[in-house]
Amino acid sequence: MFCTLGETSTLRPPPSPSARPEVLINLSLLLTFPGPDGEKTWPKKYPFCGGVFQSPIDFHNDILQYDTTLLPLELVGYNVSSTDHFMLTNNGHSVRMSLFPTMHIRNLPFQYTATQLHLHWGNRNKPEGSEHTVSGRHFAAELHIVHYNSDKYPDVTAAIDKSDGLAVLAILIEIGPFNPSYEKIFSHFQNVKYKDQIALVPGFDIQELLPDQLDEYYRYEGSLTTPPCYPSVLWTVFRHPVKVSQEQLLALETALYCTQPNDPTPLEMVNNFRHIQEFDERLVSVSFRQGNFIPATVCSAGGHCLCKKTKIHACLKMLCQFLQVAHTIAMTKGKIFQFYVMHLYSQFHSFILYSFPHLWFFYTDKRDRTTFLFLNRKLRL
């Protein structure tokens, strides 16, 4: 038998040793897959799981826009001495490795501090376990490196439900040659075979787990991919996948169990990925050029809109008309105006954020999906 996403019901966290408690922020209670019926039942107990800004998503050309302001990520403190040790834990739904608080990401709106990494995968018969997809294509697995906003919050527990609380680096994994860097984690799977088991992993450079090109990625605002699905994650999904061997992937797919060693009916840990979520025609910023992306600027000074023919042409046309009216009012009154929009659908959220950073400041109330927009007349257009 095997367990999949949604089939682990025990919420008990793994034991926490006394060493380095500040690093062992426990997310297992928040990231456990509850109930026997899988993710379709999540919204009943966790309303955010049925809300907006959910992850993962599919990256396809119709929602991608090139953004020249996106910078290569700067990773600080990722190279950890082999005399220090990471803690690897089987928490019943994934294998998770705690990270040191000396690890940071820069070139984001805030400084984000690392807390843990974990993996998502499929099964030996269908090795398509990535959470994010590209043009409908699943990859074999996906690695997530979780960070919290340490400029604003004292720890990940305080940050996890805040709209700017988390930043996750996602690495897509596909089959290729043997990967010695991933083996530094995979070689310990036999020591964490069952739920609540823990192993120590000698320190190494975590950046080795990432693709070489850190300047090419997808960027969007989304959510945790497990309950309670808080829309609190700034996602960076790297464009280029990392390769592991067929044997390494098989070890990931077959070595781990959701159950404890003495359980009479052991359940194999497989298919621990969430399915693709609706994206409501929001836009994803990308740091690279490819194909016919939606332009980053579709409204010029004076309110003359340059809507392109895409699948969201009607959406763009409506937004352009709104912008023209707003611009005219602002030019007439000559001061900052506040516009309250009762039914501006959620697909406008990322469009306004990324397409008009020089023009708009906005706040979205994710509970009732209303949006406040502010047009600053004093800014040069």
Side-chain angles (χ1 to χ4, degrees):
M1 297 181 66
F2 58 86
C3 61
T4 61
L5 187 80
E7 293 184 348
T8 303
S9 58
T10 301
L11 299 180
R12 183 176 55 180
S16 299
S18 58
R20 287 178 40 244
E22 72 279 1
V23 180
L24 302 178
I25 300 298
N26 179 27
L27 292 182
S28 64
L29 288 176
L30 295 172
L31 299 181
T32 301
F33 308 141
D37 298 322
E39 61 184 278
K40 292 182 179 179
T41 65
W42 290 357
K44 295 179 181 178
K45 188 173 183 180
Y46 304 97
F48 282 109
C49 296
V52 294
F53 309 103
Q54 290 297 290
S55 299
I57 63 171
D58 176 60
F59 301 119
H60 51 280
N61 278 355
D62 290 336
I63 64 169
L64 303 182
Q65 67 170 16
Y66 175 60
D67 187 343
T68 59
T69 67
L70 294 179
L71 301 173
L73 295 182
E74 183 181 349
L75 307 177
V76 180
Y78 264 50
N79 193 358
V80 176
S81 170
S82 60
T83 59
D84 294 318
H85 290 81
F86 302 113
M87 185 167 291
L88 190 68
T89 305
N90 179 334
N91 59 16
H93 64 265
S94 182
V95 60
R96 184 195 69 183
M97 192 170 81
S98 61
L99 300 176
F100 286 90
T102 52
M103 299 171 56
H104 305 285
I105 306 177
R106 291 179 181 164
N107 284 346
L108 290 177
F110 303 96
Q111 177 170 286
Y112 288 84
T113 296
T115 179
Q116 53 106 335
L117 63 78
H118 60 270
L119 290 140
H120 298 270
W121 61 90
N123 65 76
R124 73 189 83 184
N125 297 318
K126 192 175 182 181
E128 298 178 355
S130 71
E131 296 208 301
H132 292 90
T133 60
V134 178
S135 298
R137 177 199 171 193
H138 271 280
F139 292 79
E142 186 168 329
L143 174 71
H144 292 165
I145 307 179
V146 182
H147 305 72
Y148 73 93
N149 183 343
S150 51
D151 278 348
K152 295 183 65 174
Y153 308 108
D155 53 44
V156 67
T157 303
I160 197 168
D161 61 346
K162 307 303 188 298
S163 61
D164 57 358
L166 302 180
V168 177
L169 305 182
I171 298 93
L172 302 170
I173 300 172
E174 64 182 7
I175 297 173
F178 177 82
N179 190 314
S181 298
Y182 275 75
E183 190 65 15
K184 295 175 182 178
I185 299 175
F186 288 13
S187 62
H188 296 273
F189 284 167
Q190 290 302 318
N191 298 322
V192 292
K193 193 175 186 69
Y194 297 101
K195 186 175 184 291
D196 293 346
Q197 290 184 332
I198 294 174
L200 295 180
V201 177
F204 64 96
D205 189 353
I206 297 297
Q207 188 167 334
E208 296 175 0
L209 304 175
L210 277 61
D212 293 334
Q213 293 175 269
L214 300 183
D215 60 337
E216 296 193 5
Y217 54 82
Y218 306 90
R219 168 71 53 74
Y220 77 102
E221 292 182 343
S223 73
L224 300 174
T225 61
T226 49
C229 308
Y230 292 132
S232 58
V233 180
L234 182 64
W235 282 96
T236 300
V237 182
F238 291 103
R239 177 189 185 188
H240 299 286
V242 168
K243 299 180 187 297
V244 301
S245 69
Q246 179 72 61
E247 292 74 18
Q248 289 177 302
L249 181 64
L250 187 62
L252 177 64
E253 294 167 341
T254 61
L256 303 170
Y257 288 80
C258 304
T259 46
Q260 296 180 326
N262 57 354
D263 196 301
T265 55
L267 299 177
E268 191 175 4
M269 188 184 296
V270 295
N271 301 333
N272 64 346
F273 60 93
R274 189 185 192 188
H275 290 87
I276 294 299
Q277 303 297 297
E278 294 183 7
F279 199 56
D280 296 326
E281 298 293 7
R282 291 178 285 141
L283 298 185
V284 174
S285 290
V286 296
S287 63
F288 56 91
R289 292 184 179 275
Q290 173 185 302
N292 297 318
F293 289 170
I294 296 172
T297 302
V298 299
C299 192
S300 62
H304 301 295
C305 296
L306 308 175
C307 293
K308 303 297 183 182
K309 288 187 178 297
T310 68
K311 286 186 177 180
I312 60 171
H313 176 64
C315 166
L316 294 179
K317 183 176 180 180
M318 186 189 307
L319 180 57
C320 282
Q321 292 171 346
F322 176 81
L323 288 173
Q324 286 175 330
V325 173
H327 184 86
T328 300
I329 296 174
M331 292 300 102
T332 303
K333 301 296 183 181
K335 63 179 181 180
I336 298 175
F337 271 77
Q338 174 178 333
F339 299 91
Y340 178 57
V341 185
M342 291 298 296
H343 300 291
L344 190 61
Y345 296 112
S346 61
Q347 60 261 42
F348 291 162
H349 176 275
S350 290
F351 182 81
I352 295 171
L353 172 63
Y354 295 115
S355 297
F356 304 98
H358 60 296
L359 184 64
W360 294 95
F361 171 79
F362 74 100
Y363 167 77
T364 297
D365 187 333
K366 296 173 182 175
R367 292 168 298 182
D368 59 14
R369 298 178 64 179
T370 57
T371 301
F372 295 88
L373 303 175
F374 300 85
L375 180 62
N376 192 341
R377 169 66 181 88
K378 296 181 180 180
L379 294 180
R380 292 182 179 272
L381 303 182

